[in-house]
Amino acid sequence: MSNVSVLHARDLVKVYGDRIVLDNVSLSAGPGQRLGLVGENGIGKSTLLRLLSGEEEPDGGEVQRPADTEFLRQELPFPADAPLSAVVDEALEEFHRVRDRLDELGEILAARPEDETALAEYGDLLGWAQDHGLWDADHRAKLVLDGLGLSGVDMARPLGSLSGGQRTRLGLAALLIRQPRAVLLDEPTNHLDEEAVTFLEQRLAELPGAVVVASHDRAFLDGICTDIVDLDPSRGGVTRYGGAYSDYLEVKRSERARWEQQYTAEQKEIKELRQAVATTAHDVNHARSMKDNNKIGYDRHGGRVQKQISRRVRNAQQRLDELTANQAKRPPAQLSFTAAMTGTGPQEGSVSLRKVRVDGRLEIDDLTVATGERLLITGPNGAGKSTLLRVLAGDLEPDAGAAYRSSGLRVALLEQDVEFPDPQRTARSYYAQAAGEDPAVPLSRLGLLAGRDTERPVGQLSTGQRRRVALAMLVARPPDVLLLDEPTNHLSLRLVEELEEALHSAPGGVVVASHDRWLRRGWQGPELTLLDGRIRA
């Protein structure tokens, strides 16, 4: 078994077609270190994880990894008709094999204590067993299944019958049971409720090996990370920051402020130096006329002035050359979300539910959301949050009861899963359809998409980018009541923070359904918790 315990990548390069996704990226993660990868959508976080895992090969550079590096896959490597128990059994298989082999070697050494080959193998396996918690493996399997909400699931069920969220939980369970020396996770909390996320944080913190995770879950990053690796282009390229996510945010804000100050000061100095070089010789009149026919004094004084001027010009030019060659780059323009999230709506407008029933999914006797009101909806997966939003939006007709809204009130919903009828149409085309051919705010200025992406077919955009297009279409004509279903999923961390700030200042009504603990910590307004489709008192 390999003794390599450090995950190390050096000068990684990855190119897809004519697009360089990663360029000379290096990082290392040793035992006990937990690295969080952050950066804009499409910056290369998932690509880097695949290169670290060995699922893809880099076009340049190299990766050194522990033999038992594990990458959480979205699809489990089992046939659809395999039972859930097969995944757990496979996770425990090596533990049972090593345990049996240790027993065999123990018997061999008891009979032949001088057997150096058996003793060396026994030592290697014993070290592996200690590193991976062999003697606790079976108990750990039960604990992990329970912590991830799978203990009540029939282990004889075929894998094909599981939801996407359940498959993610099962894959996480298998990984945590194995306790590999290096763990790679791509958005592991997307399908987990708060209880399961808390459990995952605890287990990851206890892992003896290295962890590298890409996540949009700010509270999760803040809870587990010892370091943050920012993949966004900056002054120094890929940058590693010690500490948790909140530490990273504070350092980044200070770093950006210093960068902007340095750039402004240097540009001012460059302008002044250029003016000095161009005008100094002309501003000083050393060519005054002679007095008293004193030609000798004139030549001596004039020559001294000329030398002083030449020296000043030369020094200014030298400083200008140095500064121009080494000046700070202009800080890249940050996408800034500039749209109004809601309209003002009728002054006394509201949307209300009365005796609403959606069979097996929702049962609400009385709920009213007025313009200007904020409401946060929480609850576990399957509690009915998305169903409630769809009824409020008028997209789902209840089986009983009704939804009422004030005359002229406009309600809009941003759903979790965004689909566009024609994937070949561009983002700009869809936005123009929503906003009109001459929108008050062009799509490129909303701060939701980079200019180059506005002309790409929506079918070529990432999941997060498609959600941005859908959000742009909603705010093109701001609704009076805006409904958001898990708005922080698939959006970059920077954009999420700007979205939250915009929600706080929006004049209309806002209803948000979310698991996001970071969002909930800063929420200003009432909260409503759903459980089994009912409002929990």
Side-chain angles (χ1 to χ4, degrees), residues 36-38 45 187-194 196-198 200-201 213-225 228 245-246 486 488-493 496 514-519 521:
L37 305 180
V38 301
K45 299 185 294 293
E187 300 293 351
T189 66
N190 272 2
H191 297 286
L192 304 183
D193 57 26
E194 185 170 349
V197 171
T198 301
L200 178 60
E201 288 178 359
V213 57
S215 177
H216 288 95
D217 188 330
R218 294 163 292 173
F220 178 69
L221 292 175
D222 206 45
I224 70 160
C225 288
I228 299 293
Y245 180 70
S246 53
E486 299 292 354
T488 62
N489 281 4
H490 305 297
L491 298 184
S492 71
L493 298 176
V496 163
S514 180
H515 285 120
D516 191 324
R517 292 168 294 161
W518 192 282
L519 181 150
R521 289 174 189 172

mmCIF file of all heavy atoms in Angstrom, residues 36-38 45 187-194 196-198 200-201 213-225 228 245-246 486 488-493 496 514-519 521:
data_model
loop_
_atom_site.group_PDB
_atom_site.id
_atom_site.type_symbol
_atom_site.label_atom_id
_atom_site.label_comp_id
_atom_site.label_asym_id
_atom_site.label_seq_id
_atom_site.Cartn_x
_atom_site.Cartn_y
_atom_site.Cartn_z
ATOM 1 N N GLY A 36 -10.977 24.652 0.746
ATOM 2 C CA GLY A 36 -12.184 25.022 0.025
ATOM 3 C C GLY A 36 -11.829 25.747 -1.256
ATOM 4 O O GLY A 36 -11.071 26.720 -1.233
ATOM 5 N N LEU A 37 -12.344 25.261 -2.387
ATOM 6 C CA LEU A 37 -12.110 25.907 -3.682
ATOM 7 C C LEU A 37 -13.236 26.892 -3.954
ATOM 8 O O LEU A 37 -14.419 26.524 -3.905
ATOM 9 C CB LEU A 37 -12.060 24.866 -4.804
ATOM 10 C CG LEU A 37 -11.057 23.720 -4.662
ATOM 11 C CD1 LEU A 37 -11.155 22.795 -5.870
ATOM 12 C CD2 LEU A 37 -9.636 24.248 -4.497
ATOM 13 N N VAL A 38 -12.897 28.147 -4.232
ATOM 14 C CA VAL A 38 -13.910 29.151 -4.540
ATOM 15 C C VAL A 38 -13.528 29.864 -5.828
ATOM 16 O O VAL A 38 -12.381 29.841 -6.255
ATOM 17 C CB VAL A 38 -14.073 30.172 -3.394
ATOM 18 C CG1 VAL A 38 -14.475 29.480 -2.103
ATOM 19 C CG2 VAL A 38 -12.799 30.978 -3.188
ATOM 20 N N LYS A 45 -13.211 24.845 -11.018
ATOM 21 C CA LYS A 45 -13.182 24.124 -9.739
ATOM 22 C C LYS A 45 -13.435 22.628 -9.939
ATOM 23 O O LYS A 45 -12.681 21.786 -9.426
ATOM 24 C CB LYS A 45 -14.214 24.715 -8.772
ATOM 25 C CG LYS A 45 -13.982 26.177 -8.440
ATOM 26 C CD LYS A 45 -14.934 26.689 -7.392
ATOM 27 C CE LYS A 45 -16.372 26.718 -7.869
ATOM 28 N NZ LYS A 45 -16.609 27.694 -8.935
ATOM 29 N N GLU A 187 -19.601 20.117 -4.553
ATOM 30 C CA GLU A 187 -20.943 20.529 -4.104
ATOM 31 C C GLU A 187 -21.626 19.418 -3.308
ATOM 32 O O GLU A 187 -22.725 18.959 -3.657
ATOM 33 C CB GLU A 187 -21.807 20.936 -5.305
ATOM 34 C CG GLU A 187 -21.253 22.088 -6.099
ATOM 35 C CD GLU A 187 -21.248 23.407 -5.325
ATOM 36 O OE1 GLU A 187 -21.840 23.461 -4.231
ATOM 37 O OE2 GLU A 187 -20.641 24.364 -5.823
ATOM 38 N N PRO A 188 -21.042 18.957 -2.209
ATOM 39 C CA PRO A 188 -21.603 17.815 -1.489
ATOM 40 C C PRO A 188 -22.887 18.122 -0.725
ATOM 41 O O PRO A 188 -23.608 17.204 -0.346
ATOM 42 C CB PRO A 188 -20.482 17.443 -0.515
ATOM 43 C CG PRO A 188 -19.755 18.726 -0.272
ATOM 44 C CD PRO A 188 -19.799 19.449 -1.595
ATOM 45 N N THR A 189 -23.195 19.404 -0.484
ATOM 46 C CA THR A 189 -24.351 19.722 0.355
ATOM 47 C C THR A 189 -25.617 20.040 -0.447
ATOM 48 O O THR A 189 -26.653 20.342 0.153
ATOM 49 C CB THR A 189 -24.044 20.927 1.267
ATOM 50 O OG1 THR A 189 -23.875 22.108 0.467
ATOM 51 C CG2 THR A 189 -22.782 20.673 2.075
ATOM 52 N N ASN A 190 -25.544 19.966 -1.772
ATOM 53 C CA ASN A 190 -26.683 20.392 -2.594
ATOM 54 C C ASN A 190 -27.982 19.664 -2.275
ATOM 55 O O ASN A 190 -29.058 20.217 -2.385
ATOM 56 C CB ASN A 190 -26.363 20.230 -4.083
ATOM 57 C CG ASN A 190 -25.685 21.465 -4.656
ATOM 58 O OD1 ASN A 190 -25.419 22.420 -3.942
ATOM 59 N ND2 ASN A 190 -25.397 21.438 -5.946
ATOM 60 N N HIS A 191 -27.892 18.374 -1.917
ATOM 61 C CA HIS A 191 -29.107 17.589 -1.681
ATOM 62 C C HIS A 191 -29.251 17.183 -0.219
ATOM 63 O O HIS A 191 -29.933 16.212 0.086
ATOM 64 C CB HIS A 191 -29.098 16.343 -2.565
ATOM 65 C CG HIS A 191 -29.107 16.646 -4.035
ATOM 66 N ND1 HIS A 191 -30.231 17.101 -4.677
ATOM 67 C CD2 HIS A 191 -28.139 16.585 -4.966
ATOM 68 C CE1 HIS A 191 -29.948 17.290 -5.968
ATOM 69 N NE2 HIS A 191 -28.691 16.997 -6.161
ATOM 70 N N LEU A 192 -28.610 17.928 0.672
ATOM 71 C CA LEU A 192 -28.653 17.583 2.086
ATOM 72 C C LEU A 192 -29.462 18.615 2.867
ATOM 73 O O LEU A 192 -29.380 19.809 2.598
ATOM 74 C CB LEU A 192 -27.244 17.511 2.672
ATOM 75 C CG LEU A 192 -26.243 16.555 2.010
ATOM 76 C CD1 LEU A 192 -24.928 16.578 2.776
ATOM 77 C CD2 LEU A 192 -26.799 15.141 1.928
ATOM 78 N N ASP A 193 -30.237 18.129 3.850
ATOM 79 C CA ASP A 193 -30.900 19.071 4.735
ATOM 80 C C ASP A 193 -29.915 19.504 5.815
ATOM 81 O O ASP A 193 -28.764 19.037 5.873
ATOM 82 C CB ASP A 193 -32.171 18.477 5.339
ATOM 83 C CG ASP A 193 -31.908 17.189 6.108
ATOM 84 O OD1 ASP A 193 -30.778 16.991 6.598
ATOM 85 O OD2 ASP A 193 -32.848 16.373 6.222
ATOM 86 N N GLU A 194 -30.355 20.413 6.671
ATOM 87 C CA GLU A 194 -29.440 21.011 7.641
ATOM 88 C C GLU A 194 -28.853 19.976 8.593
ATOM 89 O O GLU A 194 -27.665 20.030 8.931
ATOM 90 C CB GLU A 194 -30.157 22.097 8.434
ATOM 91 C CG GLU A 194 -29.248 22.839 9.382
ATOM 92 C CD GLU A 194 -29.899 24.067 9.992
ATOM 93 O OE1 GLU A 194 -30.977 24.450 9.518
ATOM 94 O OE2 GLU A 194 -29.313 24.624 10.941
ATOM 95 N N ALA A 196 -28.277 16.806 8.040
ATOM 96 C CA ALA A 196 -27.275 16.001 7.338
ATOM 97 C C ALA A 196 -26.009 16.810 7.067
ATOM 98 O O ALA A 196 -24.894 16.274 7.152
ATOM 99 C CB ALA A 196 -27.855 15.475 6.024
ATOM 100 N N VAL A 197 -26.151 18.102 6.751
ATOM 101 C CA VAL A 197 -24.982 18.944 6.513
ATOM 102 C C VAL A 197 -24.159 19.071 7.790
ATOM 103 O O VAL A 197 -22.920 18.989 7.764
ATOM 104 C CB VAL A 197 -25.396 20.342 6.004
ATOM 105 C CG1 VAL A 197 -24.200 21.281 5.970
ATOM 106 C CG2 VAL A 197 -26.000 20.237 4.615
ATOM 107 N N THR A 198 -24.833 19.273 8.910
ATOM 108 C CA THR A 198 -24.132 19.376 10.190
ATOM 109 C C THR A 198 -23.363 18.098 10.490
ATOM 110 O O THR A 198 -22.213 18.132 10.944
ATOM 111 C CB THR A 198 -25.127 19.672 11.323
ATOM 112 O OG1 THR A 198 -25.809 20.896 11.051
ATOM 113 C CG2 THR A 198 -24.428 19.778 12.663
ATOM 114 N N LEU A 200 -22.258 15.934 8.252
ATOM 115 C CA LEU A 200 -21.145 15.858 7.305
ATOM 116 C C LEU A 200 -19.980 16.734 7.764
ATOM 117 O O LEU A 200 -18.811 16.316 7.677
ATOM 118 C CB LEU A 200 -21.616 16.284 5.911
ATOM 119 C CG LEU A 200 -20.548 16.314 4.811
ATOM 120 C CD1 LEU A 200 -19.929 14.941 4.607
ATOM 121 C CD2 LEU A 200 -21.142 16.840 3.504
ATOM 122 N N GLU A 201 -20.266 17.928 8.224
ATOM 123 C CA GLU A 201 -19.208 18.808 8.723
ATOM 124 C C GLU A 201 -18.424 18.133 9.848
ATOM 125 O O GLU A 201 -17.188 18.163 9.880
ATOM 126 C CB GLU A 201 -19.813 20.120 9.231
ATOM 127 C CG GLU A 201 -20.318 21.043 8.142
ATOM 128 C CD GLU A 201 -20.948 22.298 8.720
ATOM 129 O OE1 GLU A 201 -20.998 22.405 9.969
ATOM 130 O OE2 GLU A 201 -21.393 23.143 7.937
ATOM 131 N N VAL A 213 -12.613 20.550 -1.264
ATOM 132 C CA VAL A 213 -14.042 20.639 -1.553
ATOM 133 C C VAL A 213 -14.345 21.913 -2.331
ATOM 134 O O VAL A 213 -13.796 22.979 -2.054
ATOM 135 C CB VAL A 213 -14.870 20.594 -0.243
ATOM 136 C CG1 VAL A 213 -14.442 21.698 0.708
ATOM 137 C CG2 VAL A 213 -16.363 20.688 -0.522
ATOM 138 N N ALA A 214 -15.198 21.776 -3.343
ATOM 139 C CA ALA A 214 -15.761 22.933 -4.045
ATOM 140 C C ALA A 214 -17.211 23.048 -3.611
ATOM 141 O O ALA A 214 -17.961 22.070 -3.697
ATOM 142 C CB ALA A 214 -15.673 22.748 -5.557
ATOM 143 N N SER A 215 -17.607 24.214 -3.132
ATOM 144 C CA SER A 215 -18.966 24.364 -2.627
ATOM 145 C C SER A 215 -19.397 25.818 -2.693
ATOM 146 O O SER A 215 -18.586 26.738 -2.535
ATOM 147 C CB SER A 215 -19.052 23.863 -1.177
ATOM 148 O OG SER A 215 -20.354 24.056 -0.649
ATOM 149 N N HIS A 216 -20.703 26.023 -2.910
ATOM 150 C CA HIS A 216 -21.298 27.341 -2.829
ATOM 151 C C HIS A 216 -21.919 27.572 -1.451
ATOM 152 O O HIS A 216 -22.506 28.630 -1.211
ATOM 153 C CB HIS A 216 -22.384 27.511 -3.899
ATOM 154 C CG HIS A 216 -21.847 27.630 -5.284
ATOM 155 N ND1 HIS A 216 -21.737 26.552 -6.134
ATOM 156 C CD2 HIS A 216 -21.372 28.694 -5.975
ATOM 157 C CE1 HIS A 216 -21.224 26.952 -7.294
ATOM 158 N NE2 HIS A 216 -20.999 28.244 -7.222
ATOM 159 N N ASP A 217 -21.828 26.577 -0.574
ATOM 160 C CA ASP A 217 -22.413 26.659 0.758
ATOM 161 C C ASP A 217 -21.439 27.391 1.675
ATOM 162 O O ASP A 217 -20.464 26.823 2.163
ATOM 163 C CB ASP A 217 -22.693 25.242 1.273
ATOM 164 C CG ASP A 217 -23.475 25.246 2.579
ATOM 165 O OD1 ASP A 217 -23.329 26.208 3.353
ATOM 166 O OD2 ASP A 217 -24.209 24.269 2.830
ATOM 167 N N ARG A 218 -21.716 28.661 1.928
ATOM 168 C CA ARG A 218 -20.784 29.494 2.677
ATOM 169 C C ARG A 218 -20.650 29.046 4.125
ATOM 170 O O ARG A 218 -19.543 29.050 4.683
ATOM 171 C CB ARG A 218 -21.240 30.956 2.604
ATOM 172 C CG ARG A 218 -21.165 31.535 1.205
ATOM 173 C CD ARG A 218 -21.988 32.809 1.088
ATOM 174 N NE ARG A 218 -23.409 32.517 1.192
ATOM 175 C CZ ARG A 218 -24.359 33.450 1.261
ATOM 176 N NH1 ARG A 218 -24.016 34.732 1.261
ATOM 177 N NH2 ARG A 218 -25.634 33.114 1.344
ATOM 178 N N ALA A 219 -21.747 28.662 4.748
ATOM 179 C CA ALA A 219 -21.677 28.191 6.131
ATOM 180 C C ALA A 219 -20.882 26.893 6.217
ATOM 181 O O ALA A 219 -20.140 26.669 7.173
ATOM 182 C CB ALA A 219 -23.083 27.995 6.688
ATOM 183 N N PHE A 220 -21.035 26.031 5.217
ATOM 184 C CA PHE A 220 -20.283 24.770 5.170
ATOM 185 C C PHE A 220 -18.785 25.050 5.048
ATOM 186 O O PHE A 220 -17.974 24.491 5.791
ATOM 187 C CB PHE A 220 -20.784 23.949 3.978
ATOM 188 C CG PHE A 220 -20.071 22.637 3.771
ATOM 189 C CD1 PHE A 220 -20.230 21.593 4.660
ATOM 190 C CD2 PHE A 220 -19.244 22.465 2.678
ATOM 191 C CE1 PHE A 220 -19.571 20.378 4.469
ATOM 192 C CE2 PHE A 220 -18.579 21.260 2.469
ATOM 193 C CZ PHE A 220 -18.757 20.218 3.371
ATOM 194 N N LEU A 221 -18.400 25.939 4.129
ATOM 195 C CA LEU A 221 -16.994 26.305 3.978
ATOM 196 C C LEU A 221 -16.453 26.932 5.256
ATOM 197 O O LEU A 221 -15.317 26.690 5.658
ATOM 198 C CB LEU A 221 -16.822 27.273 2.812
ATOM 199 C CG LEU A 221 -17.077 26.733 1.402
ATOM 200 C CD1 LEU A 221 -16.988 27.867 0.380
ATOM 201 C CD2 LEU A 221 -16.093 25.620 1.040
ATOM 202 N N ASP A 222 -17.279 27.732 5.893
ATOM 203 C CA ASP A 222 -16.840 28.393 7.115
ATOM 204 C C ASP A 222 -16.686 27.388 8.256
ATOM 205 O O ASP A 222 -15.861 27.579 9.148
ATOM 206 C CB ASP A 222 -17.850 29.470 7.514
ATOM 207 C CG ASP A 222 -17.235 30.584 8.332
ATOM 208 O OD1 ASP A 222 -16.145 31.061 7.951
ATOM 209 O OD2 ASP A 222 -17.817 30.975 9.348
ATOM 210 N N GLY A 223 -17.480 26.309 8.199
ATOM 211 C CA GLY A 223 -17.466 25.333 9.276
ATOM 212 C C GLY A 223 -16.345 24.320 9.194
ATOM 213 O O GLY A 223 -15.906 23.792 10.229
ATOM 214 N N ILE A 224 -15.857 24.007 7.963
ATOM 215 C CA ILE A 224 -14.891 22.908 7.853
ATOM 216 C C ILE A 224 -13.500 23.330 7.390
ATOM 217 O O ILE A 224 -12.525 22.627 7.664
ATOM 218 C CB ILE A 224 -15.400 21.804 6.901
ATOM 219 C CG1 ILE A 224 -15.393 22.293 5.443
ATOM 220 C CG2 ILE A 224 -16.764 21.299 7.318
ATOM 221 C CD1 ILE A 224 -15.413 21.181 4.435
ATOM 222 N N CYS A 225 -13.374 24.439 6.689
ATOM 223 C CA CYS A 225 -12.114 24.710 5.982
ATOM 224 C C CYS A 225 -11.012 25.245 6.895
ATOM 225 O O CYS A 225 -11.255 26.086 7.758
ATOM 226 C CB CYS A 225 -12.353 25.699 4.842
ATOM 227 S SG CYS A 225 -13.259 24.973 3.459
ATOM 228 N N ILE A 228 -8.657 28.437 2.253
ATOM 229 C CA ILE A 228 -9.482 28.720 1.071
ATOM 230 C C ILE A 228 -8.549 28.973 -0.105
ATOM 231 O O ILE A 228 -7.588 29.740 0.000
ATOM 232 C CB ILE A 228 -10.373 29.962 1.285
ATOM 233 C CG1 ILE A 228 -11.338 29.749 2.453
ATOM 234 C CG2 ILE A 228 -11.141 30.291 0.010
ATOM 235 C CD1 ILE A 228 -12.397 28.695 2.222
ATOM 236 N N TYR A 245 -13.923 30.488 5.721
ATOM 237 C CA TYR A 245 -14.475 31.347 4.679
ATOM 238 C C TYR A 245 -14.658 32.783 5.161
ATOM 239 O O TYR A 245 -14.390 33.742 4.414
ATOM 240 C CB TYR A 245 -15.810 30.775 4.197
ATOM 241 C CG TYR A 245 -16.466 31.600 3.125
ATOM 242 C CD1 TYR A 245 -15.929 31.652 1.843
ATOM 243 C CD2 TYR A 245 -17.608 32.353 3.397
ATOM 244 C CE1 TYR A 245 -16.517 32.421 0.854
ATOM 245 C CE2 TYR A 245 -18.201 33.119 2.414
ATOM 246 C CZ TYR A 245 -17.651 33.152 1.146
ATOM 247 O OH TYR A 245 -18.240 33.920 0.173
ATOM 248 N N SER A 246 -15.104 32.962 6.400
ATOM 249 C CA SER A 246 -15.293 34.326 6.897
ATOM 250 C C SER A 246 -13.958 35.066 6.984
ATOM 251 O O SER A 246 -13.896 36.273 6.723
ATOM 252 C CB SER A 246 -15.985 34.299 8.266
ATOM 253 O OG SER A 246 -15.299 33.458 9.165
ATOM 254 N N GLU A 486 -34.577 28.262 -3.318
ATOM 255 C CA GLU A 486 -33.143 27.984 -3.149
ATOM 256 C C GLU A 486 -32.309 28.897 -4.056
ATOM 257 O O GLU A 486 -31.564 28.444 -4.924
ATOM 258 C CB GLU A 486 -32.829 26.515 -3.438
ATOM 259 C CG GLU A 486 -33.524 25.533 -2.528
ATOM 260 C CD GLU A 486 -33.020 25.584 -1.086
ATOM 261 O OE1 GLU A 486 -32.042 26.305 -0.823
ATOM 262 O OE2 GLU A 486 -33.624 24.926 -0.229
ATOM 263 N N THR A 488 -29.628 30.569 -3.718
ATOM 264 C CA THR A 488 -28.165 30.558 -3.653
ATOM 265 C C THR A 488 -27.549 29.328 -4.308
ATOM 266 O O THR A 488 -26.322 29.272 -4.460
ATOM 267 C CB THR A 488 -27.683 30.651 -2.190
ATOM 268 O OG1 THR A 488 -28.139 29.507 -1.461
ATOM 269 C CG2 THR A 488 -28.216 31.910 -1.530
ATOM 270 N N ASN A 489 -28.371 28.335 -4.683
ATOM 271 C CA ASN A 489 -27.828 27.157 -5.367
ATOM 272 C C ASN A 489 -27.277 27.539 -6.738
ATOM 273 O O ASN A 489 -27.930 28.242 -7.509
ATOM 274 C CB ASN A 489 -28.913 26.088 -5.558
ATOM 275 C CG ASN A 489 -29.161 25.288 -4.294
ATOM 276 O OD1 ASN A 489 -28.582 25.558 -3.244
ATOM 277 N ND2 ASN A 489 -30.036 24.304 -4.383
ATOM 278 N N HIS A 490 -26.093 27.067 -7.042
ATOM 279 C CA HIS A 490 -25.467 27.193 -8.363
ATOM 280 C C HIS A 490 -25.039 28.614 -8.721
ATOM 281 O O HIS A 490 -24.631 28.861 -9.851
ATOM 282 C CB HIS A 490 -26.390 26.662 -9.468
ATOM 283 C CG HIS A 490 -26.846 25.256 -9.265
ATOM 284 N ND1 HIS A 490 -25.974 24.195 -9.237
ATOM 285 C CD2 HIS A 490 -28.082 24.739 -9.045
ATOM 286 C CE1 HIS A 490 -26.657 23.074 -9.030
ATOM 287 N NE2 HIS A 490 -27.924 23.377 -8.912
ATOM 288 N N LEU A 491 -25.136 29.544 -7.786
ATOM 289 C CA LEU A 491 -24.653 30.893 -8.062
ATOM 290 C C LEU A 491 -23.307 31.078 -7.381
ATOM 291 O O LEU A 491 -23.025 30.482 -6.350
ATOM 292 C CB LEU A 491 -25.645 31.951 -7.549
ATOM 293 C CG LEU A 491 -27.040 31.950 -8.173
ATOM 294 C CD1 LEU A 491 -27.843 33.107 -7.620
ATOM 295 C CD2 LEU A 491 -26.969 32.037 -9.693
ATOM 296 N N SER A 492 -22.471 31.932 -7.973
ATOM 297 C CA SER A 492 -21.156 32.172 -7.382
ATOM 298 C C SER A 492 -21.322 32.834 -6.017
ATOM 299 O O SER A 492 -22.316 33.500 -5.735
ATOM 300 C CB SER A 492 -20.319 33.072 -8.297
ATOM 301 O OG SER A 492 -20.823 34.390 -8.287
ATOM 302 N N LEU A 493 -20.310 32.649 -5.162
ATOM 303 C CA LEU A 493 -20.375 33.205 -3.819
ATOM 304 C C LEU A 493 -20.486 34.725 -3.850
ATOM 305 O O LEU A 493 -21.215 35.324 -3.059
ATOM 306 C CB LEU A 493 -19.141 32.767 -3.033
ATOM 307 C CG LEU A 493 -19.000 31.253 -2.837
ATOM 308 C CD1 LEU A 493 -17.684 30.935 -2.132
ATOM 309 C CD2 LEU A 493 -20.166 30.688 -2.051
ATOM 310 N N VAL A 496 -24.050 35.726 -4.885
ATOM 311 C CA VAL A 496 -25.009 35.436 -3.827
ATOM 312 C C VAL A 496 -25.040 36.569 -2.805
ATOM 313 O O VAL A 496 -26.114 36.993 -2.356
ATOM 314 C CB VAL A 496 -24.670 34.094 -3.140
ATOM 315 C CG1 VAL A 496 -25.373 33.968 -1.810
ATOM 316 C CG2 VAL A 496 -25.066 32.930 -4.043
ATOM 317 N N SER A 514 -35.247 28.335 1.465
ATOM 318 C CA SER A 514 -33.820 28.057 1.422
ATOM 319 C C SER A 514 -33.361 27.215 2.599
ATOM 320 O O SER A 514 -33.881 27.320 3.711
ATOM 321 C CB SER A 514 -33.035 29.376 1.408
ATOM 322 O OG SER A 514 -31.646 29.133 1.357
ATOM 323 N N HIS A 515 -32.333 26.373 2.292
ATOM 324 C CA HIS A 515 -31.591 25.663 3.335
ATOM 325 C C HIS A 515 -30.354 26.443 3.759
ATOM 326 O O HIS A 515 -29.677 26.060 4.712
ATOM 327 C CB HIS A 515 -31.098 24.305 2.800
ATOM 328 C CG HIS A 515 -32.168 23.273 2.686
ATOM 329 N ND1 HIS A 515 -32.499 22.677 1.484
ATOM 330 C CD2 HIS A 515 -32.981 22.720 3.615
ATOM 331 C CE1 HIS A 515 -33.465 21.796 1.685
ATOM 332 N NE2 HIS A 515 -33.778 21.802 2.960
ATOM 333 N N ASP A 516 -30.032 27.517 3.041
ATOM 334 C CA ASP A 516 -28.758 28.209 3.202
ATOM 335 C C ASP A 516 -28.658 28.820 4.603
ATOM 336 O O ASP A 516 -29.315 29.803 4.930
ATOM 337 C CB ASP A 516 -28.635 29.306 2.141
ATOM 338 C CG ASP A 516 -27.237 29.896 2.066
ATOM 339 O OD1 ASP A 516 -26.596 30.033 3.115
ATOM 340 O OD2 ASP A 516 -26.800 30.221 0.945
ATOM 341 N N ARG A 517 -27.786 28.238 5.426
ATOM 342 C CA ARG A 517 -27.659 28.700 6.810
ATOM 343 C C ARG A 517 -27.056 30.095 6.884
ATOM 344 O O ARG A 517 -27.384 30.876 7.772
ATOM 345 C CB ARG A 517 -26.808 27.700 7.600
ATOM 346 C CG ARG A 517 -27.481 26.342 7.793
ATOM 347 C CD ARG A 517 -26.500 25.326 8.318
ATOM 348 N NE ARG A 517 -25.469 25.045 7.328
ATOM 349 C CZ ARG A 517 -24.296 24.484 7.637
ATOM 350 N NH1 ARG A 517 -24.025 24.163 8.888
ATOM 351 N NH2 ARG A 517 -23.411 24.241 6.691
ATOM 352 N N TRP A 518 -26.157 30.405 5.958
ATOM 353 C CA TRP A 518 -25.542 31.736 5.942
ATOM 354 C C TRP A 518 -26.606 32.790 5.665
ATOM 355 O O TRP A 518 -26.647 33.834 6.313
ATOM 356 C CB TRP A 518 -24.438 31.766 4.895
ATOM 357 C CG TRP A 518 -23.530 32.947 4.943
ATOM 358 C CD1 TRP A 518 -23.791 34.199 4.477
ATOM 359 C CD2 TRP A 518 -22.211 32.999 5.498
ATOM 360 N NE1 TRP A 518 -22.714 35.027 4.674
ATOM 361 C CE2 TRP A 518 -21.721 34.303 5.302
ATOM 362 C CE3 TRP A 518 -21.384 32.061 6.112
ATOM 363 C CZ2 TRP A 518 -20.456 34.702 5.711
ATOM 364 C CZ3 TRP A 518 -20.120 32.458 6.516
ATOM 365 C CH2 TRP A 518 -19.679 33.760 6.326
ATOM 366 N N LEU A 519 -27.461 32.523 4.677
ATOM 367 C CA LEU A 519 -28.555 33.438 4.352
ATOM 368 C C LEU A 519 -29.483 33.601 5.546
ATOM 369 O O LEU A 519 -29.913 34.704 5.873
ATOM 370 C CB LEU A 519 -29.319 32.920 3.129
ATOM 371 C CG LEU A 519 -30.496 33.746 2.611
ATOM 372 C CD1 LEU A 519 -30.644 33.564 1.103
ATOM 373 C CD2 LEU A 519 -31.807 33.355 3.291
ATOM 374 N N ARG A 521 -28.821 33.247 8.688
ATOM 375 C CA ARG A 521 -28.216 34.005 9.789
ATOM 376 C C ARG A 521 -28.430 35.505 9.633
ATOM 377 O O ARG A 521 -28.609 36.230 10.619
ATOM 378 C CB ARG A 521 -26.704 33.733 9.835
ATOM 379 C CG ARG A 521 -26.329 32.344 10.297
ATOM 380 C CD ARG A 521 -24.824 32.151 10.154
ATOM 381 N NE ARG A 521 -24.437 30.766 10.380
ATOM 382 C CZ ARG A 521 -23.206 30.300 10.172
ATOM 383 N NH1 ARG A 521 -22.262 31.108 9.721
ATOM 384 N NH2 ARG A 521 -22.937 29.038 10.393
#
